[in-house]
Amino acid sequence: MLDIKTSSYVAEGKHRACYIHPHNESLCVKVLLPSKTGGSQEEANRETKYYRFLEKKNVPWTMLPKFHGEVITNLGKGYVFDLVRDYDGNISRNLTHYLSNQQLTQNHAQALSVAFDLLNQYLLQWKIITLNIQARNLVFKQTSSDEGRLVIVDDVGNPELIPICNYIDFMATMKIKRKWQRFVSLLLKAYPDNKFLKSKFSVKN
Ligand SMILES: Nc1ncnc2c1ncn2[C@@H]1O[C@H](COP(=O)(O)OP(=O)(O)OP(=O)(O)O)[C@@H](O)[C@H]1O
Ligand SMILES: [Mg+2]
């Protein structure tokens, strides 16, 4: 059993908490929050299944953290992934962190702009299906002081009962384009004063 120390806590969302792996600083372990069971477990199973599917397709783990399997921990069942870190070793922060701070966004505007485009290309090239893309589920990995990538840490996979998009490329492409449009419009709504987003996605003032 893996003994996770509370001091290795990284962050949490609505369902899971993320900890640094006790034996490997480049991995993280995600465990369900104590109050969450049922639906969250189904979500986890869907994610695991979809990751297996991506492994078979040989998807490069550049904008998705690699999945390293399940482990039993003192905090319940855990899921091991690459822990996304910046070039200086700091754990990468999510996009919400960057977009909520006008100055921080401006400091990384050029890198963020390229990172948005790279992520869109990556999803389309590898036909990666996601649930709705949300800022809190993307981390911005600074690869140097002025370059970076957006990595999707949550909500990948196809929740459909018959996941036809997994097998028919043009349907996947359409779905990915729709998800991207929705992502952009939600960002513009969530951060109406963010100058970077306005100019990137060309909204007139
Ligand atoms: N592989 C990772 N590397 C670095 N940070 C991560 C990683 N995975 C998650 N995080 C951080 O932990 C936070 C919560 O993780 P995650 O989104 O997996 O939890 P969740 O409860 O499933 O989220 P949600 O509320 O969207 O359902 C993220 O917003 C991110 O800041
Ligand atoms: Mg999340």
Side-chain angles (χ1 to χ4, degrees):
M1 190 177 79
L2 205 63
D3 191 26
I4 296 176
K5 300 269 184 289
T6 47
S7 58
S8 64
Y9 174 86
V10 175
E12 70 188 37
K14 291 192 183 128
H15 309 94
R16 308 184 286 188
C18 179
Y19 294 89
I20 302 171
H21 192 292
H23 304 157
N24 185 339
E25 296 233 303
S26 61
L27 299 177
C28 67
V29 186
K30 293 190 186 185
V31 293
L32 287 185
L33 291 170
S35 54
K36 308 284 174 184
T37 43
S40 301
Q41 186 57 56
E42 274 165 37
E43 271 282 290
N45 296 345
R46 185 186 48 74
E47 181 178 55
T48 306
K49 209 168 134 200
Y50 194 67
Y51 259 97
R52 297 287 176 230
F53 173 77
L54 296 181
E55 281 161 14
K56 285 201 195 104
K57 287 213 296 185
N58 278 321
V59 165
W61 306 110
T62 45
M63 284 170 248
L64 269 178
K66 188 170 158 57
F67 176 55
H68 298 272
E70 297 173 16
V71 283
I72 305 298
T73 81
N74 55 324
L75 302 176
K77 198 194 268 185
Y79 299 83
V80 181
F81 293 90
D82 285 343
L83 176 61
V84 185
R85 287 184 184 267
D86 297 338
Y87 71 101
D88 57 5
N90 288 330
I91 296 171
S92 302
R93 304 295 304 265
N94 66 29
L95 190 56
T96 311
H97 170 78
Y98 284 90
L99 296 180
S100 323
N101 182 329
Q102 197 72 248
Q103 190 57 51
L104 204 52
T105 312
Q106 282 318 314
N107 291 349
H108 297 281
Q110 186 58 35
L112 279 168
S113 174
V114 175
F116 270 99
D117 295 341
L118 284 175
L119 178 66
N120 192 13
Q121 285 162 24
Y122 173 82
L123 296 176
L124 287 167
Q125 178 178 359
W126 294 99
K127 305 282 181 287
I128 292 165
I129 306 294
T130 60
L131 278 69
N132 289 332
I133 308 171
Q134 308 200 55
R136 67 169 192 267
N137 292 329
L138 298 172
V139 296
F140 180 60
K141 177 182 172 70
Q142 295 185 35
T143 52
S144 74
S145 61
D146 57 1
E147 286 167 317
R149 277 203 297 271
L150 285 167
V151 180
I152 306 200
V153 298
D154 187 17
D155 280 354
V156 289
N158 193 338
E160 288 162 9
L161 215 53
I162 303 166
I164 200 151
C165 290
N166 294 3
Y167 303 99
I168 301 180
D169 278 0
F170 87 91
M171 292 194 63
T173 302
M174 279 185 347
K175 197 185 196 69
I176 295 162
K177 286 186 176 167
R178 274 203 310 275
K179 294 283 180 191
W180 190 265
Q181 282 311 321
R182 192 174 155 78
F183 168 50
V184 169
S185 65
L186 286 179
L187 281 182
L188 290 167
K189 263 198 208 117
Y191 303 96
D193 303 321
N194 191 295
K195 293 194 189 72
F196 161 76
L197 287 176
K198 276 191 195 168
S199 87
K200 171 73 184 161
F201 300 109
S202 55
V203 176
K204 302 272 176 306
N205 286 312

